[in-house]
Amino acid sequence: EALKKIQDKQRELTQERSEASSKLKDLAATRTELGNKKKEVQGKLAEAQRLLNSLTAAEKAALDAEQARASRASADRVQLGNSAPASGRAGAAFSAAQSKIGSPYVYGATGPSSYDCSGLTSWAYAQAGVGIPRTSQAQANAGTRIYSQSQLQVGDLVIFYGDLHHVGLYAGNGQVLHAPRTGTVVRYESINNMPFQFGVRI
C-alpha cells in the first residue's frame, strides 16, 4: 500500500514536471517573440528618426506649418451640432479637453501642456473629478460599452483599432476630439477616419 502511494506520487510529480517544462518552453517562446517585436518597433522608430534628421530646416518648417494648418482647418471646419453630453461629468471632461486643442502630442504625456491619446482622456476626466485608468486598453473596460455610433453622446470615450490602442472623446456630429499621434496636436477628427470599435460611457 505504501509503495503504491509512493508510485502514485511519483507519477503526479512526473506529470507536473512535464507540464512545468512545457509552460517554460511557452514562456521562452513568448519572450523571444516579444524581443523580436521590440527590435522591430525600435528599428522602425530609428528609421523614422533618421528620416526626420535627414530633412533640411526648410523642409521641417514646411512640415510643421502643414500640420499646424491641418489642425487649424479641422478646428475651423468642425460642426459639432448640439448633442447633449452623456452626463455632467462627461460634459465637464469634454470641456476640459476642448481647452487643450492645439496642444502637442507627446507619447506618454498626461498634461498639462502635452498629451498622448489616453493621457488626454484621463486628464480630462480628472478635471471633472473622475479617476479613470491611464491606458486606452484599460479605459476600454472603465464603463458601459456602446457598440452603436448612433448611441454615442458627447464626452463618451471612443475606442479605436482591434488592439484598442487609441482613444478619444466623442464630440458630437460624428466627430472625435483626440491626440492623434507624434507630430500632431489635440484636434477634432471624423470618427470614420479610424476603425471604430466601441464607445465607453463613464
Side-chain angles (χ1 to χ4, degrees), residues 10-195:
Q10 279 181 326
R11 270 196 294 274
E12 278 179 39
L13 287 170
T14 302
Q15 179 66 27
E16 284 173 10
R17 189 182 292 115
S18 172
E19 285 174 10
S21 174
S22 176
K23 281 179 183 166
L24 276 172
K25 280 181 191 160
D26 285 348
L27 281 171
T30 302
R31 192 179 290 117
T32 303
E33 188 182 340
L34 285 172
N36 290 340
K37 288 231 168 93
K38 186 180 177 185
K39 280 182 195 155
E40 186 184 334
V41 168
Q42 285 172 333
K44 285 180 179 173
L45 282 171
E47 179 60 26
Q49 193 60 54
R50 272 195 299 275
L51 280 171
L52 273 174
N53 292 343
S54 71
L55 294 175
T56 64
E59 285 170 329
K60 279 182 184 168
L63 189 62
D64 290 343
E66 181 57 36
Q67 288 286 1
R69 196 160 46 247
S71 295
R72 276 198 308 275
S74 79
D76 293 342
R77 276 198 313 269
V78 157
Q79 297 293 322
L80 298 180
N82 54 3
S83 306
S87 67
R89 298 177 310 176
F94 182 71
S95 294
Q98 279 184 307
S99 74
K100 295 300 175 179
I101 289 172
S103 298
Y105 176 102
V106 174
Y107 180 75
T110 56
S113 55
S114 57
Y115 301 87
D116 65 10
C117 66
S118 54
L120 176 67
T121 50
S122 58
W123 177 87
Y125 266 95
Q127 307 319 297
V130 182
I132 62 172
R134 168 67 182 88
T135 67
S136 57
Q137 288 91 345
Q139 288 177 16
N141 296 310
T144 306
R145 289 190 177 186
I146 300 151
Y147 290 95
S148 169
Q149 287 187 26
S150 65
Q151 300 298 311
L152 291 172
Q153 290 179 269
V154 173
D156 284 338
L157 298 176
V158 193
I159 309 292
F160 297 97
Y161 299 95
D163 61 357
L164 316 181
H165 76 257
H166 190 65
V167 62
L169 291 165
Y170 188 64
N173 200 31
Q175 297 291 318
V176 179
L177 180 57
H178 69 148
R181 62 189 172 280
T182 301
T184 64
V185 297
V186 175
R187 67 188 188 197
Y188 295 111
E189 191 163 344
S190 168
I191 197 171
N192 298 318
N193 286 358
M194 298 162 285

